[in-house]
Amino acid sequence: MARLYQIIAGIAVVSTFLAPLARATPEVATGNQDTVPDKHVSLSGPINARFVAAIEQISSRYPTIRILVIDSEGGEIEAAMQLGRLIKERGWDVAVINKCLSACANYVFPAGKRKRVLPNSWVGIHEKTRQFHWADGSMHYVTGNEIEAAMTKVDAASTKAAHQWEADDAASFRSLGLSTAFIQDFTNYISSRKRVLGVEDIHQFPDVPGCPRYRFWALNKKQLEDMGITNIDEFWFPTTKAEELALYKDKILPAGSIYIGGAEKLSTFCKGPALNWFQRLLLKREPQP
């Protein structure tokens, strides 16, 4: 029987946040320090069920914790929702060091009572994404507005599960008072790039004039507030090209793959007719980053 799979995440690391340049170590601890006052716990890595279970244990063991310091590229959506609910129930603040992307940006950061984005850190969203197992056992990673069509290629149980996830996702956004407009804007861009290039994977081809290969959208403070995220006490955002390039320092993304700007400009990319087979063949010969 085909099964629906959410975003796959690896093993998370739980550690003490010592300073902006400190490296995460595989241990659990809490403490006081000047950059993030009061008791806190620092987490680094993809969000998954083990990640959340560790946080629940820590919150029970250290009831004085008031701040979650996080560095995450995202992870399992259901686990991130659960972590967001825990943060909201505990009344914790959330501070971002380095990055808070994808599920972290959608469900964890907004749940904080107060929020901070520390220097050289960023909050980024991307398009709707799902992973499916087809009836033949093959796995397919689906992005953009094509998810609904992909559901027709799996069995009834998987389709039902996918619709249930959509309902849970919508309920989570409502509980946090969030708008999905920015995610939909980026989803529309992704679908436009796939249409123009004639591909299922937007990363298959490098940048094309008028159709850049953006993978994330780094939102500024006003955009986050427009999304419905409130109580942002401190917020760093790049104001120079050098600071923008610093966003790639963790080497999770190639330079130029982060979009910085408004929805109106984003909507102008990847318009016009689809490229023909010969144009796509030439693109395939371009060096991949």
Side-chain angles (χ1 to χ4, degrees):
M1 179 180 293
R3 296 176 57 193
L4 170 68
Y5 280 72
Q6 305 296 348
I7 297 175
I8 304 301
I11 298 176
V13 176
V14 184
S15 66
T16 304
F17 174 71
L18 299 175
L21 296 179
R23 292 184 179 274
T25 55
E27 59 183 31
V28 178
T30 60
N32 285 307
Q33 53 88 37
D34 294 333
T35 305
V36 182
D38 206 350
K39 296 288 184 178
H40 67 272
V41 62
S42 179
L43 305 173
S44 178
I47 302 168
N48 54 29
R50 290 178 61 186
F51 190 110
V52 177
I55 290 297
E56 290 177 335
Q57 292 178 0
I58 293 169
S59 65
S60 298
R61 185 177 178 183
Y62 301 98
T64 57
I65 291 175
R66 293 292 179 269
I67 300 173
L68 171 69
V69 182
I70 193 163
D71 173 11
S72 177
E73 62 269 36
E76 295 175 357
I77 298 172
E78 291 181 354
M81 289 181 184
Q82 184 179 349
L83 179 57
R85 288 192 293 268
L86 176 66
I87 291 169
K88 196 170 183 180
E89 290 170 0
R90 297 290 192 272
W92 287 359
D93 294 347
V94 174
V96 176
I97 176 173
N98 197 19
K99 61 186 178 297
C100 179
L101 311 179
S102 185
C104 178
N106 291 345
Y107 312 108
V108 179
F109 183 70
K113 185 175 181 180
R114 314 295 304 186
K115 293 92 172 171
R116 301 175 66 187
V117 178
L118 302 178
N120 299 315
S121 304
W122 61 295
V123 178
I125 62 171
H126 60 63
E127 77 285 359
K128 294 180 181 178
T129 61
R130 299 290 184 276
Q131 281 188 340
F132 295 100
H133 266 156
W134 263 221
D136 63 3
S138 61
M139 179 173 286
H140 294 257
Y141 182 71
V142 185
T143 62
N145 294 314
E146 293 67 47
I147 294 173
E148 191 71 27
M151 292 183 192
T152 64
K153 299 180 181 180
V154 297
D155 61 20
S158 297
T159 300
K160 181 179 179 180
H163 284 301
Q164 183 60 54
W165 185 93
E166 295 288 349
D168 293 343
D169 185 51
S172 180
F173 268 71
R174 284 195 302 271
S175 69
L176 293 170
L178 302 182
S179 166
T180 59
F182 285 96
I183 294 175
Q184 187 58 52
D185 288 335
F186 202 80
T187 295
N188 294 340
Y189 156 76
I190 294 298
S191 289
S192 294
R193 188 170 210 269
K194 291 193 294 183
R195 178 190 60 81
V196 168
L197 299 179
V199 296
E200 294 184 2
D201 180 6
I202 65 159
H203 309 312
Q204 183 174 346
F205 294 133
D207 285 353
V208 177
C211 195
R213 182 173 56 177
Y214 294 126
R215 302 190 183 185
F216 284 95
W217 185 355
L219 299 179
N220 60 33
K221 183 178 181 180
K222 184 179 184 307
Q223 289 170 329
L224 289 170
E225 291 173 339
D226 288 343
M227 187 177 172
I229 299 175
T230 60
N231 300 324
I232 302 175
D233 293 336
E234 178 183 346
F235 190 84
W236 180 90
F237 198 75
T239 58
T240 66
K241 191 65 177 179
E243 289 178 338
E244 181 179 333
L245 291 175
L247 294 180
Y248 306 102
K249 67 182 182 300
D250 56 13
K251 311 222 181 272
I252 64 165
L253 295 168
S257 59
I258 299 174
Y259 175 66
I260 297 177
E264 183 175 348
K265 180 180 179 183
L266 184 67
S267 66
T268 66
F269 296 128
C270 304
K271 298 298 182 182
L275 302 184
N276 59 43
W277 69 271
F278 183 70
Q279 292 170 315
R280 293 196 297 272
L281 178 62
L282 292 178
L283 284 174
K284 287 184 177 180
R285 294 178 179 176
E286 292 290 331
Q288 301 295 307

